[in-house]
Amino acid sequence: MNHTPALREAIPPYTDGMRIGLLGGSFNPPHTAHRDITLFAMKRLNLDRVWWLVTPGNPLKDKAPHRLEERMEAARCLAHHPRIDVSCLESVIGTRYTLDTIEFLRRRCAAVRFVWIMGADNLAQFHRWKGWRTIADLVPMAVIDRPPDSFGALSSPAAQALMQHRIPERDAGQLATMTPPAWIFLTGMKSPLSSTRLRNPDGSWKT
């Protein structure tokens, strides 16, 4: 299959068999917790790389984010790590939904072992995502504890529905090789930062 230059550029380098974490979001703005979560997951899950998928916009949020180019540049400056790749894949393939992104990557990079990474705040609303059950069937998921969202996340509809597929933390290093549905709740990563707290009421970034 032929791919446009934009698509080839939007898919970071990889080789078959790699363990790659996927961290999606609007990154509006990117902040140190994104990087901390990434490095934490990379170590605990034994990942080769992590791709930051900067979305054009979040369907569950009303306010429009800053321009994609601006968020991409800020994310690259923040990441500053040889094993973190920043991608605008969702803009290139024309989707705002995680389900579509994962289905595309499963087809395009069939031999890569992907893990979806998200904070506990996202697990709390995961049942509102388009095709959330299918997402869980397609890719192993790692949920990073983000107090004070822990209780709400683990008691959420999605967490309860998927509870039988939750694996113990001691098996974190094997998650990428497991057949989904399989998910893990990782503790020990303590950061109160969020993009929401770093934005002014008008949506601009705090400086």
Side-chain angles (χ1 to χ4, degrees):
M1 179 184 298
N2 292 324
H3 296 288
T4 65
L7 180 55
R8 287 195 296 269
E9 184 176 337
I11 299 177
Y14 69 91
T15 57
D16 291 351
M18 267 190 173
R19 301 179 179 202
I20 296 177
L22 302 173
L23 182 65
S26 57
F27 292 85
N28 185 43
H31 51 75
T32 56
H34 288 128
R35 193 175 191 275
D36 292 343
I37 285 172
T38 297
L39 298 179
F40 177 76
M42 195 181 293
K43 181 178 180 179
R44 292 287 302 274
L45 302 174
N46 194 24
L47 300 175
D48 297 304
R49 308 189 71 82
V50 173
W51 295 355
W52 286 3
L53 303 177
V54 183
T55 182
N58 187 330
L60 297 180
K61 295 181 179 179
D62 295 328
K63 286 189 176 181
H66 282 223
R67 291 189 308 113
L68 178 62
E69 295 80 4
E70 185 177 356
R71 290 180 285 124
M72 287 282 294
E73 180 59 28
R76 289 191 184 101
C77 290
L78 175 69
H80 194 60
H81 192 282
R83 292 164 59 195
I84 300 176
D85 299 291
V86 180
S87 170
C88 60
L89 176 65
E90 292 187 337
S91 176
V92 174
I93 65 176
T95 184
R96 297 169 65 199
Y97 294 102
T98 297
L99 173 61
D100 299 333
T101 303
I102 291 175
E103 288 181 332
F104 176 87
L105 287 173
R106 284 286 305 272
R107 293 191 303 269
R108 179 68 177 81
C109 315
V112 171
R113 299 182 182 276
F114 287 114
V115 174
W116 184 261
I117 302 168
M118 61 178 159
D121 53 328
N122 280 318
L123 177 62
Q125 60 173 347
F126 188 49
H127 62 285
R128 299 174 58 200
W129 293 22
K130 174 187 174 183
W132 64 273
R133 290 182 181 272
T134 303
I135 293 172
D137 286 338
L138 287 174
V139 64
M141 302 187 302
V143 181
I144 312 300
D145 185 19
R146 297 191 68 189
D149 299 300
S150 310
F151 179 78
L154 291 174
S155 61
S156 67
Q160 292 299 305
L162 298 171
M163 192 58 68
Q164 63 179 316
H165 303 295
R166 181 181 173 185
I167 69 170
E169 284 197 65
R170 64 176 179 271
D171 296 329
Q174 304 305 315
L175 180 66
T177 65
M178 293 182 178
T179 301
W183 68 284
I184 194 167
F185 192 83
L186 293 177
T187 58
M189 169 67 218
K190 309 297 184 184
S191 176
L193 278 180
S194 71
S195 292
T196 301
R197 294 172 183 171
L198 295 178
R199 289 196 299 270
N200 294 308
D202 63 359
S204 62
W205 295 350
K206 295 178 180 178
T207 57

